[in-house]
Amino acid sequence: MNYFELFDLAVDFDLDTGELARRYRLLQQQFHPDRFASGSEREKLTALQKTAQINDGFQTLKTPLSRAEHMLALRGIELAHEQRTLRDPQFLMKQMELREALEEIDTPEAVLDMDVQLQSEIKQLTDALRAEIIAIDNDTAADTIRKLKFMHKLRDELERIEDSLMDSW
């Protein structure tokens, strides 16, 4: 399914998320299952399926990482359930260093410092991904998506660390 078509949007990495949200609400109103409560079973099922597609599409297009992954899928490069690993030793070394730094975090200030660092890394990778998507450099874009997934996992781990620090105070 092409979610850009579903929302009648141009296939673009830098889409207007406000416009996406507006179109999401319009589609939700149009296909909300309650509107088909008195319809046939087929109409009800179709409305439920369409609503699920609308929800999936919105979730996919609202963030740059999943949007880029969807764009590559439309180009025939499926990354969603792959098991391929990165072969960039420099990035993998940085990843290990960041994981070690995460293990040493024991103060709210250290959480903030790490968050600033991770946000900076994510921004740099997202900027690179934007250029790669525009240039239709699919293989490099795929590797950048893999790197961004690593960085987002690190941010998730940082949030868990922050939560556990808050709980212990």
Side-chain angles (χ1 to χ4, degrees):
M1 153 110 348
N2 182 334
Y3 294 132
F4 292 97
E5 285 180 4
L6 176 65
F7 288 94
D8 195 26
L9 295 167
V11 179
D12 190 353
F13 183 78
D14 291 314
L15 65 80
D16 179 347
T17 54
E19 181 62 15
L20 171 66
R22 186 184 73 75
R23 292 179 187 211
Y24 169 73
R25 287 188 299 277
L26 288 172
L27 286 170
Q28 281 292 73
Q29 289 172 349
Q30 183 180 351
F31 292 101
H32 195 280
D34 288 349
R35 293 190 60 166
F36 299 90
S38 62
S40 70
E41 288 304 312
R42 182 178 172 88
E43 289 173 324
K44 290 177 189 177
L45 180 60
T46 301
L48 282 172
Q49 290 171 334
K50 192 69 168 180
T51 299
Q53 288 175 336
I54 293 165
N55 289 335
D56 290 344
F58 181 71
Q59 293 303 315
T60 297
L61 295 181
K62 76 178 186 177
T63 63
L65 179 58
S66 58
R67 185 181 321 129
E69 194 168 345
H70 182 62
M71 290 174 76
L72 286 186
L74 294 174
R75 296 175 184 176
I77 299 171
E78 193 64 47
L79 300 174
H81 303 291
E82 74 170 3
Q83 297 299 318
R84 184 172 166 194
T85 59
L86 276 168
R87 299 192 195 291
D88 180 343
Q90 187 176 10
F91 179 79
L92 294 173
M93 183 60 76
K94 179 187 274 188
Q95 168 97 16
M96 288 186 347
E97 291 168 2
L98 288 170
R99 284 206 178 280
E100 289 172 5
L102 275 177
E103 291 174 9
E104 297 173 10
I105 290 177
D106 57 359
T107 66
E109 293 79 18
V111 168
L112 183 58
D113 290 343
M114 178 60 79
D115 189 47
V116 167
Q117 182 178 356
L118 292 176
Q119 287 295 350
S120 174
E121 294 285 337
I122 288 170
K123 183 183 180 329
Q124 288 175 12
L125 287 168
T126 301
D127 290 345
L129 178 59
R130 175 180 293 106
E132 294 156 3
I133 290 285
I134 291 169
I136 311 177
D137 186 354
N138 295 335
D139 291 336
T140 306
D143 278 344
T144 303
I145 287 171
R146 292 178 188 105
K147 290 175 183 180
L148 275 164
K149 286 181 176 182
F150 274 123
M151 298 308 292
H152 283 282
K153 285 179 186 175
L154 289 175
R155 275 210 77 234
D156 291 344
E157 181 61 28
L158 181 61
E159 287 179 15
R160 284 191 286 280
I161 290 168
E162 182 180 30
D163 289 345
S164 70
L165 283 175
M166 298 290 219
D167 289 345
S168 66
W169 284 15

